[in-house]
Amino acid sequence: MTTSLPLPVPLPPPLPLTWLYVPGDRPDVVAKALHAGADAVIVDLEDAVAPDRKEYARSATAELLSDPQPPPVPVHVRVNALESPLADADLRAIAPLPGVAGLRLPKVASRADVIRVAERAAPADGGSPTLHALVESALGLEHAFAIATAHPALRGLSLGEADLRADLGVREDAGLDWARSRVVVAARAAGLAPPGQSVYPDTRDLDGLAASCARGRALGFLGRGAIHPRQLPVIEQAYLPTAEEIERAEEITKAAATDEGALALPDGRFVDRAVVEGAQRILTLAQRLR
């Protein structure tokens, strides 16, 4: 018995590949970042802001996102660590604002963390803002799937590698590969989009960034956070399909459209449902090249 192949369907909009982090206490930098070419901007109220600038960062960000006119790209806000009183103040000030596309939750360690934020951030008329959990500890990593399935408002899961590296005592980059794969698997099992990679800290080492992105793509990540606009084109290029990949994907989807069972292409490659779905994902990303 053959397994019917999925026929090609209209492709969904491509997922974002670049997220540019900017400090919340620099509203001038935030304003520039909105036009820097990233798919989304993340205003950081946590690690990028000194303790004596936290309140100013919150008020400046709230003022920016209070404008009913939507920003040119989606804006997410990374709030302070969830166990901190600052996080409650951040949620009260930021969650209801019209310019907020989502909230980034640092140092999430359990399912309960996500539920607590979703309940606090829910507007009076129901629903809640989009949430994205950052796993940054061994405990959070162990609970990755529970976190990923904690609440319908959670739409993304990713690693915070600097904190995780310190928590695990990892010295070599390869020491994080298991953790990376764990998060990729948890996100997929929960039906979430593939995670984006954690930021690459050396803003001048673009060759190193490209190599790191290639490794991340091989592990199943899609896109990456950036801390400087010069990193954006490198990340995008690394995650876009090559001309050869696009050609192969088009060949596969055309073959699937004319044959309802598993088949072999003229060059001997075997095509089944999983291969066709992978080809469709490539063609979705290829829309960015048009």
Side-chain angles (χ1 to χ4, degrees):
M1 178 182 296
T2 59
T3 302
S4 295
L5 294 175
L7 296 180
V9 295
L11 297 173
L15 293 169
L17 294 181
T18 54
W19 297 265
L20 180 59
Y21 277 89
V22 285
D25 63 340
R26 296 286 305 279
D28 55 329
V29 176
V30 175
K32 291 179 181 178
L34 296 176
H35 302 277
D39 292 325
V41 166
I42 302 174
V43 180
D44 190 8
L45 304 182
E46 192 208 15
D47 288 344
V49 179
D52 62 348
R53 300 274 289 177
K54 296 285 189 180
E55 291 189 11
Y56 172 69
R58 183 189 307 122
S59 62
T61 301
E63 181 178 356
L64 171 73
L65 298 177
S66 296
D67 190 338
Q69 183 70 24
V73 296
V75 176
H76 294 234
V77 177
R78 180 163 74 171
V79 300
N80 280 284
L82 300 184
E83 70 274 9
S84 164
L86 292 168
D88 283 333
D90 293 342
L91 293 171
R92 287 194 302 270
I94 301 298
L97 300 179
V100 179
L103 299 172
R104 300 268 164 157
L105 312 180
K107 301 175 177 61
V108 175
S110 69
R111 181 174 182 270
D113 288 342
V114 177
I115 295 172
R116 185 169 62 252
V117 172
E119 292 174 348
R120 290 178 187 173
D125 57 355
S128 59
T130 297
L131 306 179
H132 187 112
L134 299 173
V135 172
E136 305 184 66
S137 67
L139 182 60
L141 194 62
E142 285 298 302
H143 293 161
F145 180 69
I147 291 168
T149 56
H151 194 277
L154 189 79
R155 303 294 176 81
L157 183 75
S158 59
L159 284 180
E161 291 190 0
D163 282 35
L164 182 61
R165 189 186 297 270
D167 191 33
L168 298 177
V170 169
R171 295 187 178 184
E172 299 294 332
D173 188 70
L176 291 179
D177 279 355
W178 182 86
R180 292 163 177 158
S181 293
R182 176 81 173 96
V183 167
V184 169
V185 171
R188 175 59 178 165
L192 302 177
Q197 280 185 275
S198 186
V199 299
Y200 189 80
D202 189 338
T203 63
R204 296 189 180 277
D205 181 15
L206 300 184
D207 290 339
L209 172 61
S212 177
C213 288
R215 177 62 177 160
R217 186 182 180 196
L219 290 172
F221 287 92
L222 183 65
R224 187 167 204 160
I227 53 176
H228 194 283
R230 72 167 63 97
Q231 295 178 315
L232 298 174
V234 178
I235 295 168
E236 183 169 31
Q237 184 63 38
Y239 274 97
L240 286 175
T242 64
E244 183 180 3
E245 288 172 330
I246 295 170
E247 182 179 357
R248 289 180 178 177
E250 289 174 340
E251 183 181 7
I252 289 167
T253 56
K254 287 177 183 177
T258 59
D259 195 315
E260 293 186 354
L263 66 142
L265 298 179
D267 64 2
R269 282 178 292 150
F270 181 77
V271 175
D272 61 8
R273 178 181 293 271
V275 174
V276 175
E277 290 175 351
Q280 290 172 333
R281 286 193 294 270
I282 288 173
L283 295 180
T284 297
L285 280 172
Q287 293 178 82
R288 298 175 64 107
L289 296 169
R290 297 172 184 170

